[in-house]
Amino acid sequence: MATRHTQPRRQPSRKGSMADIPKDLLQEIKRLEDLFTVDTAKLKAITSHFQDELARGLSKEGGSIPMNPTWCMGFPTGHETGTFLALDMGGTNLRVCEINLPEEKGEFDIIQSKYRMPEELKTGTADELWGYIADCLQQFIEYHHEGEKLDKLPLGFTFSYPATQDYIDHGVLQRWTKGFDIDGVEGKDVVPPFEAALEERGVPIKLTALINDTTGTLIASAYTDSEMRIGCIFGTGCNAAYMEHCGDIPKLEHMKLDPNQEIAINCEWGAFDNEHKILPRTQYDIIIDKDSPRPGQQSFEKMVAGLYLGELFRLVLLDLHEVAHVKIFEGQDVSSLKKPYSLDASFLSDIENDPFENLSETHDRFEKALGIKCTKPELELIRRLAELIGTRSARLSACGVAAICLKKNYKTCHVGADGSVFNKYPHFKARGAQALKEILDWDKGRDGKALGKGHDPVEILPAEDGSGVGAALIAALTLKRVQEGKVMGIRDPEGMLKGTKAADPKSKEVAPESKK
Ligand code: BGC
């Protein structure tokens, strides 16, 4: 669809003025600033603790960050080939892709279909979940391959929840996150019931790799950029993956792996500081946690991820209406504001994007969404609050990135990032870059020039499609390992090839002779 510009371009930002704001409201704004601002010293302290926790997660004793080995062993070369399916079980949609990796280095073709993930499914039963997913895959195959006689298609399944993987084709769900709460899945391997649902329907698919969205992001980004070292998701949830040497993973010592072999680690850093030692939690963060389906879990995620930003904002406003002496929205019906999770991160994005000095878009948004008419001073407070919550999210997120760089001694690198907050939330990228600069004490760019886009030593860049291309690449890398007899961390190497194109020893799929 073409975009038409019928109006002059919008101003990117506004100056704002606190001049006409009553003193008590100004004091309240100051209180919120103190609550939500994370200064450089605190960022550094958080990063240092983060680094310790990354190491603790890799230790035999373990810590609160799971640091899950993923059995994705090393980066792609760019020469992977073959046709793969990718399934992404995200929060709102289910996406199915067919990806063709051609001979040309770093290229791919993709076709995809999206299916709405019904809200009830998130709190329904395990059978409903697997049945729904298998139905979508069946529909996809019937639609795109009607009447064809198919070999089994290898599938990379992006399952973006913490999972313990003894093998790449195995994953015991540690706990649901992001508001999911489906009975009978936690503590169990998700692969058998998923495969059983496919089997029942006779869908010609073989699960090759169960992956996390962060690992997919890391691998997809590294496919086209050799400087990529970390894959991050800043979206509904928040997390990162990076490559670690097996020799630096004490909890895998008993497996006697080659110490120089690399393996992707899915940090699951959303669980950082579950013991509340360092993060500057506010009373509002505490409520979010207490009222969530899994209190005590995902402490860091609940302060930074998209799912919670709107809710934080709502809780503060409600508090200022009900409890604080300033009594904002006095005499108005705030029943809509009382509904948990009624505001999402895009509501905050819109407020931060309001270009008008009088915040008229914000005024209209409040009236339309919540039936509340805001005064000018209230609008100024609302705008400042959105900035504070958005800025805190970006700055705290940067601590995780900095901690991995420090742990791995990466002085310069690229970080591939995806997710709605990273892609859509205003200023998130610039605020994150500013925080990295403060934490890592940069005074000049990697090339000796001034800091900024293209010059910052560590840059967080928009990633390639991790749960599509990344999942396909990891499936390709896994099949190639099977063909080469390198089967560590693969439960069912034989079954993985059976009935697929890659089973044919003459097959050029996956591991073409010329590229071996
Ligand atoms: C999940 C992670 C995922 C992240 C981003 C978190 O809630 O636990 O597995 O990578 O969200 O989607």
Side-chain angles (χ1 to χ4, degrees), residues 159-163 175-178 212-215 232-240 266 268-270 298 301 305 308:
F159 181 72
S160 305
Y161 306 89
R175 73 198 65 83
W176 285 119
T177 58
K178 297 181 279 201
N212 187 259
D213 49 1
T214 54
T215 318
C232 287
I233 301 290
F234 305 112
T236 307
C238 180
N239 187 19
N266 162 20
E268 287 298 337
W269 75 19
Q298 303 295 97
E301 178 161 274
Y308 307 102

Side-chain angles (χ1 to χ4, degrees), residues 210-454:
L210 184 78
I211 71 157
N212 187 259
D213 49 1
T214 54
T215 318
T217 298
L218 172 67
I219 297 301
S221 300
Y223 186 56
T224 53
D225 177 348
S226 60
E227 277 199 65
M228 281 291 170
R229 295 290 176 274
I230 302 173
C232 287
I233 301 290
F234 305 112
T236 307
C238 180
N239 187 19
Y242 73 102
M243 284 289 171
E244 190 57 271
H245 288 108
C246 291
D248 292 329
I249 310 176
K251 66 182 178 186
L252 292 186
E253 215 173 82
H254 62 284
M255 299 191 72
K256 312 233 169 332
L257 302 166
D258 171 0
N260 296 317
Q261 169 69 53
E262 284 189 309
I263 181 168
I265 298 292
N266 162 20
C267 301
E268 287 298 337
W269 75 19
F272 172 60
D273 203 32
N274 277 352
E275 46 286 277
H276 310 315
K277 285 197 179 142
I278 190 103
L279 289 174
R281 293 211 308 164
T282 66
Q283 65 200 87
Y284 311 107
D285 298 299
I286 293 169
I287 300 177
I288 290 208
D289 182 42
K290 189 167 66 54
D291 293 345
S292 74
R294 296 288 180 281
Q297 305 288 351
Q298 303 295 97
S299 262
F300 180 63
E301 178 161 274
K302 284 170 180 161
M303 294 177 76
V304 302
L307 178 59
Y308 307 102
L309 298 182
E311 182 62 0
L312 259 174
F313 176 77
R314 188 190 71 84
L315 288 170
V316 177
L317 291 184
L318 204 58
D319 183 41
L320 297 189
H321 170 74
E322 285 178 343
V323 185
H325 59 283
V326 288
K327 296 266 182 292
I328 58 168
F329 314 141
E330 192 143 39
Q332 302 213 40
D333 174 10
V334 295
S335 46
S336 297
L337 191 65
K338 286 197 173 150
K339 212 172 137 232
Y341 289 90
S342 51
L343 304 179
D344 61 15
S346 72
F347 194 84
L348 260 72
S349 291
D350 290 349
I351 295 172
E352 284 221 51
N353 270 330
D354 187 345
F356 298 111
E357 288 298 327
N358 63 358
L359 293 169
S360 58
E361 284 189 355
T362 306
H363 178 275
D364 296 350
R365 196 88 170 75
F366 260 74
E367 194 169 0
K368 211 161 157 211
L370 301 165
I372 295 175
K373 278 192 176 197
C374 306
T375 63
K376 179 74 198 338
E378 284 168 357
L379 288 171
E380 286 296 344
L381 177 138
I382 284 166
R383 167 68 163 239
R384 188 73 191 111
L385 177 60
E387 283 168 4
L388 288 170
I389 291 175
T391 304
R392 189 185 72 161
S393 161
R395 288 171 73 79
L396 289 180
S397 298
C399 294
V401 174
I404 296 182
C405 291
L406 290 169
K407 176 176 195 311
K408 294 295 293 178
N409 201 19
Y410 293 145
K411 300 280 186 237
T412 62
C413 72
H414 288 166
V415 177
D418 208 345
S420 49
V421 173
F422 183 76
N423 292 322
K424 295 196 196 133
Y425 198 95
H427 317 301
F428 186 85
K429 298 184 182 82
R431 289 166 178 167
Q434 169 64 29
L436 279 181
K437 167 182 178 279
E438 290 171 38
I439 300 167
L440 299 171
D441 287 318
W442 299 331
D443 53 8
K444 55 178 181 305
R446 54 160 75 192
D447 44 10
K449 296 199 180 126
L451 289 165
K453 244 190 193 164

Side-chain angles (χ1 to χ4, degrees), residues 89-109:
M89 184 184 141
T92 32
N93 291 317
L94 200 78
R95 187 168 65 117
V96 183
C97 314
E98 185 172 313
I99 294 119
N100 178 43
L101 305 173
E103 298 269 329
E104 294 78 23
K105 189 171 192 275
E107 297 285 318
F108 58 86
D109 306 307

